[in-house]
Structures are given as structure tokens and as C-alpha cells.
Amino acid sequence: MSLTLVIGPANSAKARVVLERYRAQLSRGPILVVPTGADAVYYRRELAESGVVLGARVESFSGLMREIAGRAGVVGRPVGAGARERVVAAAIAEARLEVLGPSAASPGFLAAATLLVAELGSRRIEPPRLTAALRRWAPEGRRLEQSEEVAAIYAGYRRRLERLGRLDEEQLRARSLDAIRLDPSRWGRTPVMVYGFDDLDPLQLDAVETLARAAEVVVSLPYEAGRVALAGRAGTFETLRPAAAEVVELPPREEHYDADARTALHHLERVLFEEVEEGEGGQRPDPGEAVGLLEGETERSELELVAAEIDDLLTDGGYRPGDIAVVMRSIGGSAELVAEVFGQAGIPASIERSVRFADTAVGRGLLGLLRAALGEGEAADLLGWLRAPGVLERPELADRFEARLRREGVRRVEEARPRWEHFPLDVLDRLVAAAGRGPGALVERTAAELERLVGAPWRRSAHVLDERELAETRVVAEAGRRLEELGELTAADRSLGPTPAELIATLAGLELAPRAAGGGVLVCDALGLRARRVRAVFVCGLQEGAFPAPGREGPFFGTEERAEIARASGLVLTRFEDALGAERFLFYATVSRAESRLRLSWHTAGDDGAPSTPSAFVDDVRDAFGPGLEPRRRERDWAGAEPDRVGGRFPVPPGGTPLGRVGSGAALAGLEERAALSPSALEAWTACPVKWFVERHLGARALEPEGEPLARGNVAHAVLARVVAELCASTDSPWGAAPERVRELVGEALEEHAGAVSTNSERDRAGRRRLAADLERYVELLRDGSPEHVPRAFELAFGLGDSDRPAVELAGGELVLCGRIDRVDVDAAAGTAIVTDYKSGEVLGAAKWEERGKLALALYMLAAGELLGLEVVGGVYQPVRGADLRPRGAVRDDVDPGLPGYANDRLEAERLAGVLSGALERAVAAARELRSGALEPRPATCTRGGLCRHPAICRERGVGR
């Protein structure tokens, strides 16, 4: 019959012409072909709104090819992606590569070879033709050897498919088209309308030309002679034009744009990428509200600018979420950030994102199970399976199990398995046994475990899946199909069955093409908006190197080599030389989708703070309007916002809630009623209230084992307390004990802490030996001085649940303390006491307490005086490690000359009283702040290095970046 080409620039009413012809052919059951499944849904709805309900059929090109195969009588299911990879891998192994051998060992070689065989199939290139062409191109030398190996891979792939009696996707399509070409009556007279495609690949061109011999075919192409933006589409138009009975060339039109934006948006469509100095009428038009630029400091702040504008459109502009699209060249890793930012702003979003099997709950569980049983056997893999929904009725058991493994330093499955106490882990044994029986049994067992995991969370319930669960279900279902396909392949040829490692890699690499789920603002890549228009388009991530994307080379043969092969043999492979032309068209097509508002955005720095350059396409748009088009910048980045110093709380992010004062949320509820506070908590608050909030108030338990320095300090504290207590119990002068007795006590105490210094046995033994030497040196230091104050109270607890002593009230009851004092040394004759606090880290004299925000020791001194009825004349931090074990702190200068220490830590009575009163005053102020919930980040004092300890929560500007 006939082929009609409908060409024109963007917004030239090509869709109207195609749809009019579609409606005119309704009696013949026409098929409208669009690029994606989402486009098919869109146009089915549009046809329904115009009254076309019965007889309307809209398909993607894959759907059209299935219809062609059915009418052509070509039966059978093509090998899927997983089976194709297995066949290609077998062909690579069979080829016994020498020149390509080193490359074949790399992870990307199999994927590249799979792409090559698909490309060759789409161009209907048979193995003998490829071999002959490559020999004419490279008649001798190393290049010939490499070409022969490439040809051997392709020939081996085709031979294996033939032995299997299967076809791949390209062969099935080619055979179906050949059947229609030989007998056009098989197709009948069903009209086909093709709309929304930027370009057509060889098999799609073949389908158009073949169907045009049997029925009426209308193809819409974006093309206008002489336009730079559309130059890359000239090849497709010229390929089809000789077969076209009619070419409908449409002029540019303005009526598709809203009235207030028409001048600016139409002007941009006409002059983008053209060498035009002035607009129509001698002046470039004012972009007004139609075209705008947004510049953020980071990707997050860029997206927050976009979210703020979208929120204005939805709130005050009369827009619906479906009227707006956010477009990126490639969404990739930005999908989660977009979801987070838009969620905080309360913007409903339909994000077009790919889904990886490994990122689903079921996928993580199954891959963890396979790796635990058959892979390297990390304990983390076993935990991944235990955490899969439905495996445990009480998920907290996995958290406790992980905490135990981390604290004990367990890494391997064989070490972790005996520590699991709740039910037998024989599922691991079943997988190992299946792998021993061969690849077929392994695939079958894996499929059974997948089915078990899929049904586990919903057992005996009528659960309705939400959008996220539906998206995950798609990729889980694809994993099931992949396993079924591998099972069939293995049954047909055992040598094609996957090894355990290959099965794990296949499932881990499984990823479905991007698809938007649910309603809301559409967030998609630059190919996702080709066949539709929306009122507002936001083009984000316009960075140099991102959009335009860098050019790419084909697998195995570069652009120049492909040109040489074509000249030498006439064999034309896909050409990639006009990468910039393709990117220009993609950008042109994207910005032309806007009917009323167009915004272009970028950011000036990456996550690591490195400068990021805007795309040259931004300059092309600015050239269309002149210097008046300036970007709007965000001066304040919520991701690193300065706190409100007056209010004493964080500002409220878009769509968020304040973190600050009591009453702003449940997190800080109850602080006003909080009675006793520990000196260490007040000291932590003084250093940084946010650090106190995370570590003291939230009270999250650490999963990681203690760091070795901290573990060593804890052991030293416990051993020293026991040794000194036993020395005091056995003699009136503990510092006079024989060195042998001290060594014996230290050794006995350390034996009880075997494995506590380090999870590594060798480091633990070495750490305990060093600790023993330090503790013995400490007792020797005291023996040399023979202090008059001797230990009389150990672990003196007050105001705590395990203590009979009440909390201590200070400052007229305004400050109520609870805590535990490590040791109190007493001179009974003088009625005085000295407080000792063991430290494994830095120890400071009183002169630096206020500067460093130290409160604990001074408050313990005040509390000890109230508890014991003694005059406290000193307080010292006792180091338990290091070359110098002399204590630091504050001791009245007229007491106990035998106490070791530093001369400048000896203070006159009046000065000592001033140190204590100053510490009490600061503690009372800190308690008031704490009870008010005034969370103020203080990165300068949060840690010794001036860095934030919890940047992911605090997110103070410049901290932790």
C-alpha cells in the first residue's frame, strides 16, 4: 500500500495529523506505535477523551513486533537477556581467545560481547559475512587475529543457538518480517501509525518498510531541513523518503504554547543552536516568566530551588502535578535524592527509575542467602537473608545478632552460624547440596527459595501492594523468569548452566528499565518526554559532562575502525560519530515540550566540594535571549543551614518540622521534667548539644565493636579498681605492697578480661601485656610517693538505680546530680578527700578546664563532699596508659606532698574554691539549656579536631563535608 512521512519541527502539530489519520482508519483497527509503555498509556487516555474507546490500540514497538510475529506464524519465545549472556559466555570460552584473552578476563567483556551480537543481529549480519568483511579490512597481522577472534565469538554464539533450537530477539524479528515480506497478506490491511520516535534503529526501519507494502503506514519524524538541532535526524528521513508515497511537511506553529509564554518559547524553539543575532522584529524577546535559570550550590540545593518553584506552581499557579515534568539527562543515582527533597517539600512525584533486584528486600535476602551458602560466606550476607521480610517473626532478633557479631569481631558465616540460637540454618545446607548435584538443581533450589521469600511477608493475609512494593514486585518477577529461563537452558545444554558464582552475578546484575510509578510530578530522563507535552518543564543537572553526555564508542570497534570496515567491505555497522548532534537534538526536544514554563538548573559544586561547570547548552539558551536572562541563586542551603542563634534551634526545611525546642516533636519530650543529670552528660551538652542529643538522649546502641583504645581504657579501669581494692583490703598501706603481689593481682584480673581489648587474639594478648606494664608502673609511682590519702571508696554511685545513695542537690537545688565516682582517697586524720577519675585519653590540669568545657571532675568533687561529709581538697584525672602516668587536675597546695602530679596543678585554697564555683555556675547554665531543649550545634567543640561527630544528623554548614 503506502508510506506517508509527516515531518516538521517540534510543536508543528505532527501528533494532530497522525491522530486524525488514526481516527479516519478506525474501521480497520489501526495500531498507534509510540516509544514507551508510559506513552502508550498516555495516548490511550487521550484517544479515550476524544471519544475513541472501542477499537483503539496503542503499542510500543515491542508490542508491534509481537503482533507481527503472531501474524507471520513465527512461534516460540526468544531467548531472554540472561540466557543470551550464558550463550555468549559459552561462545567466548569456546573461542579460546589469545589476543583478546586478557580483555576477556575483565568484568565488562561479556556485556560488551553481548551488545555486539545484538547489534550484528539487528543489522541482519550473518557470521560468514562478518568474517569475510573483517578479513578484507584486516588482511594480516595482529588486527586480523583480533578480528578472527571477534568473528569466532559471533559464529560460536549462533551455532549454540542453532543447537538449542532457539532464536534471539533480533532473529525472531527478522524472521517475522521476512515472512510478511514474502506474503504481505499475512499482515492484512491493518494501518500502522508511528509517532514520537526521535530515530529508528535498523529493525524498526525494516518493519516500517515491510508493513508499508501491505498496509497504510504513517511515520512522524522530527525533521526540518537546514536546522542544526535537527541535523542528526536527516539520515532516517533520507532512508525512508524513497519509499514514501507522500511527505507531509508541517511548518512551525505557535498555538501549542500558552498565550503568556508563546513569544519566548516559540522564539527559543526557532533559534536554539542557530547562528542568529537578533530575534524577529530586531530585538530578542523578553523571557519573562516563561524561561528561567536556577543555580544551586550543590545538587541538593539545586533540587530544593526546583522544588520551591514547583510548590509555587501547585499552590498559587493553578497547576496540577501531572502538568509538570522534571527531566535529567540520566536520573541514575539522583532518584533517591529527588524523592527525598520532593518528599520534604510535600510534592507528589512519579519518579522514573530503574529497579535493581539487589536493591529490593527479596533480592537482598536471596543474594545474601546464596552468598552465605555458596559464596565467600560473610556474616553480613547471612544477616541480609535474616532481615528479608517474613524470614523472622521478630525482626529485632537480627539486630541483636548483628550487634553480637560486631562486638565479637565475627566476620565469616562459619563463625556466625553457631552463634545463631533460634532455629536451625539448614537452608544453607540445602543450597550446598543442590549445588553439588549440578547447575540445574541449584537453579531449581534457588527458584524455590525465591518463591518462599516472595510469599513470606504476606502469608495468610490479603495484603494490597503499594506503589513501592509494586515496583519491587516487577523486578522480583523478572528474577523468577530469569531463573526459569536458566533452568530451561540448563536442561537443554548442561554446559550452559551457571556456576554458583555466575548465578549470583546474574541475579545481582538484574535491573529493569526505568519506569515511573504512580501519579504526581513526572521525573524522568531526557528520553522519557519525547511523545508528550506538559505545561512546565524543569531540566535539571545541566552540568558539563552530563548534558551533553560524552560521546561513546561501540564495543570492539571504534568510530574510525567502523568507517574503515565500511570502506573496505561495504559492511556498515552502527556509527557513533555525531554524538554532539544527537545530544543537541535531545536537548532541543526536551525544552520544546514546555507549553508555559521552562526552567534550566545546575549546581556549582559536587558532593566533594569540587567546582562543577554548567553545560554549554545553558549558554546556548542565554544566547537566544541576551544578557537579561540571569540565574536565580539560592543563598541559603538547607543541607548546611546555620542555626537560628536567637531561637536556639534549627530552621525548618521545606516541608519539614523543627528539631529545636521542647514541644517541636516527641524526640525532646520530657526534658523539662528530667530531674538528676550526670556530670558527664552536662559536659557532653556543653561541648555540643546535638552530640548530647544523639549519644545521651536518643541512646542508640552501637553496632560496631568498641574501638581498641576505648576497650583498653575500660579494661584498665576495671582491673585498676579491682587491684587497688584488693590491696586496700589486705593492708593499711596499699602503696607499700610488694611488686610481686601487685604483678600477681594485675595478672589475675587481666586474665578475666581475655578477648576484651581486641577481637584479634594476637593484638589482645599484646594489648593486655602493655596494660599490665602500665598498671604496675602506676602502683610503683604511688609507692615512691607514699601519699597520705589512701583509697577508701570505689565506684561510689549516687542517684542511680543500683545505688542506695540519693542524688546530690547543688546550687540550692537548681542542679541535681547523679553519677558514679571512680575512686575517693581519704586522709582520715585530716578529714580530707581527693577524687580520682580514671582516663584512657587526654588528661587536663584545672587551668584548662573552662577552656575545654570540662565539668565532670569538679562536679564529682562537690558531690563527694556532700556524700561523705569530708572536705574535698583535690580531684585528679588518672591516666591509665602512656609514658607519663602522673595525674592531672586540681589539688590544694598544702595537702599530701607525696601525691605525684604537676606543680601548676597545686592551687591555693581560694583559687581551688574559684575553680569549683566556676564549674558549678557553668553546669547550672548547661542544665537550664538542656531542659529548655535548645539544641545548638557547636562543631568547634564537638570533637577535639573541631569536626562534627554526627554530620548526617546535625548537617551544620561546612562540617563533615
Side-chain angles (χ1 to χ4, degrees):
M1 306 258 22
S2 66
L3 171 63
T4 298
L5 298 180
V6 180
I7 64 171
N11 300 320
S12 56
K14 296 187 295 295
R16 184 168 67 187
V17 172
V18 171
L19 292 179
E20 284 175 354
R21 298 203 177 202
Y22 181 89
R23 294 185 187 96
Q25 297 284 349
L26 277 177
S27 61
R28 295 183 176 179
I31 300 175
L32 176 63
V33 184
V34 292
T36 68
D39 294 328
V41 173
Y42 176 85
Y43 277 99
R44 288 189 196 108
R45 185 181 302 117
E46 183 165 312
L47 287 168
E49 289 174 354
S50 66
V52 180
V53 179
L54 298 177
R57 185 169 179 187
V58 186
E59 299 282 358
S60 65
F61 225 105
S62 295
L64 174 66
M65 292 307 303
R66 285 193 295 270
E67 182 70 18
I68 292 173
R71 296 193 186 190
V74 178
V75 297
R77 180 165 52 92
V79 294
R84 190 209 289 264
E85 276 201 356
R86 296 297 311 140
V87 176
V88 173
I92 291 171
E94 189 178 65
R96 297 181 181 178
L97 307 178
E98 295 184 6
V99 176
L100 293 176
S103 300
S106 65
F109 188 86
L110 175 59
T114 303
L115 284 175
L116 178 65
V117 299
E119 177 192 349
L120 295 171
S122 71
R123 304 193 78 85
R124 292 174 171 262
I125 298 172
E126 296 298 319
R129 184 184 176 199
L130 176 67
T131 301
L134 293 179
R135 285 174 178 170
R136 283 196 289 271
W137 167 60
E140 58 184 14
R142 185 176 180 82
R143 195 159 71 171
L144 173 63
E145 295 174 3
Q146 178 177 323
S147 299
E148 293 284 349
E149 290 182 353
V150 171
I153 293 173
Y154 187 44
Y157 167 76
R158 283 295 188 87
R159 280 196 306 271
R160 281 189 168 269
L161 280 182
E162 188 174 352
R163 287 202 298 266
L164 289 170
R166 300 288 297 276
L167 301 175
D168 62 20
E169 186 72 30
E170 292 75 28
Q171 288 177 299
L172 184 70
R173 291 184 175 188
R175 188 167 296 185
S176 301
L177 291 173
D178 288 345
I180 298 295
R181 188 177 292 109
L182 291 173
D183 185 2
S185 65
R186 288 174 177 264
W187 178 254
R189 301 185 64 187
T190 304
V192 177
M193 317 291 168
V194 181
Y195 174 74
F197 290 83
D198 298 341
D199 207 353
L200 299 174
D201 65 31
L203 275 176
Q204 290 170 339
L205 287 170
D206 191 353
V208 166
E209 293 175 334
T210 298
L211 295 179
R213 298 179 183 180
E216 181 178 346
V217 177
V218 178
V219 178
S220 165
L221 289 174
Y223 178 67
E224 182 181 15
R227 289 292 303 277
V228 174
L230 297 164
R233 301 299 168 260
T236 301
F237 171 69
E238 295 298 338
T239 299
L240 290 175
R241 183 164 64 170
E246 179 185 12
V247 176
V248 179
E249 189 170 353
L250 301 175
R253 305 171 72 98
E254 296 184 3
E255 63 265 25
H256 292 292
Y257 306 106
D258 290 352
D260 61 342
R262 183 168 298 159
T263 300
L265 292 177
H266 182 64
H267 170 76
L268 179 62
E269 186 278 317
R270 298 313 300 156
V271 305
L272 184 62
F273 300 126
E274 303 293 334
E275 294 291 336
V276 178
E277 290 298 326
E278 299 294 341
E280 190 175 328
Q283 296 293 328
R284 296 176 185 175
D286 182 356
E289 288 296 315
V291 181
L293 308 178
L294 305 174
E295 180 185 282
E297 297 174 358
T298 62
E299 185 179 10
R300 175 181 287 275
S301 61
E302 174 195 346
L303 291 172
E304 287 172 342
L305 274 171
V306 170
E309 288 229 358
I310 292 176
D311 185 59
D312 289 342
L313 293 178
L314 295 175
T315 305
D316 303 320
Y319 283 66
R320 298 172 301 174
D323 295 333
I324 303 170
V326 175
V327 182
M328 299 179 179
R329 178 60 181 89
S330 175
I331 296 179
S334 298
E336 295 303 320
L337 182 58
V338 174
E340 179 183 340
V341 171
F342 280 28
Q344 289 176 348
I347 296 172
S350 174
I351 303 176
E352 187 180 82
R353 66 178 102 186
S354 58
V355 182
R356 297 174 64 243
F357 180 67
D359 292 335
T360 66
V362 171
R364 285 190 295 270
L366 182 64
L367 288 169
L369 177 61
L370 292 173
R371 290 181 178 124
L374 308 170
E376 296 179 356
E378 295 289 332
D381 298 321
L382 180 59
L383 282 163
W385 174 68
L386 289 172
R387 284 205 167 95
V391 172
L392 298 178
E393 292 184 4
R394 296 170 56 202
E396 67 271 14
L397 294 177
D399 297 333
R400 296 174 188 171
F401 186 46
E402 180 180 12
R404 177 183 178 184
L405 297 181
R406 287 179 179 247
R407 284 194 294 268
E408 296 178 8
V410 175
R411 299 286 189 272
R412 309 292 298 172
V413 167
E414 57 266 24
E415 298 171 331
R417 188 171 176 176
R419 289 170 167 82
W420 177 254
E421 302 169 348
H422 302 285
F423 54 80
L425 297 176
D426 50 4
V427 62
L428 303 175
D429 302 323
R430 290 197 295 270
L431 279 166
V432 172
R437 294 195 300 272
L442 174 60
V443 171
E444 182 180 355
R445 181 74 257 163
T446 302
E449 294 301 332
L450 174 63
E451 185 176 354
R452 192 191 313 274
L453 284 172
V454 169
W458 323 125
R459 192 177 296 116
R460 295 188 297 276
S461 69
H463 179 75
V464 178
L465 301 180
D466 60 24
E467 291 178 2
R468 179 190 59 80
E469 291 166 342
L470 283 171
E472 290 196 354
T473 299
R474 288 176 51 235
V475 71
V476 170
E478 179 60 30
R481 286 190 290 270
R482 189 70 59 92
L483 289 171
E484 180 183 359
E485 186 178 69
L486 287 175
E488 294 174 354
L489 195 68
T490 305
D493 185 344
R494 183 182 173 87
S495 68
L496 295 176
T499 65
E502 290 168 340
L503 178 62
I504 292 171
T506 295
L507 292 174
L510 180 59
E511 182 174 350
L512 287 191
R515 176 185 290 184
V521 173
L522 175 64
V523 183
C524 63
D525 64 23
L527 293 172
L529 205 63
R530 292 173 293 176
R532 289 172 280 171
R533 286 193 301 272
V534 289
R535 292 184 63 190
V537 173
F538 291 78
V539 188
C540 303
L542 284 169
Q543 313 298 136
E544 191 66 38
F547 202 174
R552 65 185 180 92
E553 294 284 344
F556 294 97
F557 302 109
T559 298
E560 290 301 320
E561 291 173 322
R562 288 165 182 254
E564 292 173 4
I565 292 170
R567 287 193 293 268
S569 65
L571 180 68
V572 178
L573 301 175
T574 304
R575 302 177 71 183
F576 298 91
E577 68 270 16
D578 192 19
L580 179 58
E583 292 295 299
R584 280 175 170 166
F585 173 78
L586 197 56
F587 182 72
Y588 163 85
T590 300
V591 300
S592 68
R593 299 297 86 196
E595 296 176 341
S596 183
R597 295 287 186 273
L598 174 66
R599 296 291 183 266
L600 312 178
S601 71
W602 64 92
H603 49 271
T604 57
D607 291 339
D608 58 356
S612 181
T613 306
S615 165
F617 287 170
V618 175
D619 293 329
D620 290 316
V621 173
R622 297 177 79 168
D623 289 344
F625 295 101
L629 187 60
E630 290 297 325
R632 184 165 73 84
R633 297 178 173 87
R634 188 181 187 102
E635 299 299 336
R636 197 177 193 190
D637 183 358
W638 291 106
E642 291 288 347
D644 177 358
R645 302 293 180 183
V646 177
R649 61 183 179 183
F650 291 126
V652 184
T657 57
L659 178 62
R661 296 195 178 278
V662 174
S664 64
L668 295 178
L671 290 187
E672 289 178 331
E673 293 75 32
R674 189 164 179 148
L677 299 167
S678 71
S680 60
L682 289 167
E683 193 171 282
W685 177 277
T686 301
C688 179
V690 177
K691 178 174 73 171
W692 170 89
F693 172 74
V694 175
E695 297 177 0
R696 300 302 181 103
H697 188 65
L698 294 183
R701 291 184 298 173
L703 288 176
E704 298 291 345
E706 291 179 335
E708 288 189 12
L710 181 59
R712 183 184 188 279
N714 291 338
V715 172
H717 185 290
V719 170
L720 188 56
R722 173 179 166 178
V723 169
V724 173
E726 291 197 19
L727 289 175
C728 289
S730 61
T731 176
D732 291 335
S733 178
W735 310 133
E740 293 77 11
R741 176 59 178 159
V742 173
R743 189 174 301 113
E744 179 184 355
L745 290 174
V746 169
E748 290 175 357
L750 280 172
E751 278 301 314
E752 296 182 3
H753 293 275
V757 174
S758 174
T759 56
N760 181 288
S761 59
E762 294 182 1
R763 292 178 62 83
D764 180 70
R765 286 193 297 271
R768 284 186 289 128
R769 284 196 298 270
R770 287 195 299 270
L771 185 54
D774 287 341
L775 298 181
E776 290 169 20
R777 283 195 301 116
Y778 170 61
V779 175
E780 183 179 351
L781 178 68
L782 293 173
R783 183 189 304 115
D784 292 342
S786 298
E788 297 166 357
H789 288 78
V790 295
R792 286 293 178 259
F794 302 93
E795 301 291 322
L796 182 64
F798 57 97
L800 301 176
D802 60 350
S803 170
D804 294 333
R805 298 178 184 273
V808 174
E809 295 185 2
L810 300 175
E814 190 168 1
L815 180 63
V816 182
L817 290 180
C818 62
R820 194 183 306 274
I821 301 173
D822 288 345
R823 195 178 88 208
V824 181
D825 295 357
V826 176
D827 182 349
T832 57
I834 295 175
V835 171
T836 298
D837 190 15
Y838 300 135
K839 284 289 184 184
S840 59
E842 181 186 40
V843 294
L844 296 173
K848 292 188 176 181
W849 285 359
E850 183 173 0
E851 174 190 340
R852 297 287 186 87
K854 298 299 181 183
L855 297 172
L857 187 54
L859 295 178
Y860 283 135
M861 292 167 65
L862 294 170
E866 295 289 330
L867 292 168
L868 302 177
L870 297 171
E871 181 185 5
V872 178
V873 294
V876 294
Y877 290 113
Q878 177 57 58
V880 292
R881 60 176 298 179
D884 190 347
L885 295 178
R886 287 179 295 171
R888 298 298 310 266
V891 180
R892 207 172 72 193
D893 61 357
D894 61 343
V895 300
D896 207 340
L899 183 71
Y902 289 78
N904 58 356
D905 290 344
R906 289 282 185 165
L907 307 180
E908 297 176 354
E910 183 178 352
R911 187 178 171 197
L912 178 60
V915 168
L916 296 180
S917 63
L920 179 60
E921 183 179 338
R922 297 197 307 276
V924 169
R928 290 172 183 162
E929 288 180 357
L930 188 152
R931 290 194 176 93
S932 74
L935 289 184
E936 177 189 29
R938 298 171 186 167
T941 56
C942 185
T943 62
R944 285 185 61 190
L947 295 176
C948 179
R949 188 187 295 272
H950 304 287
I953 295 176
C954 182
R955 293 165 66 181
E956 171 74 348
R957 179 182 294 276
V959 178
R961 301 275 176 125

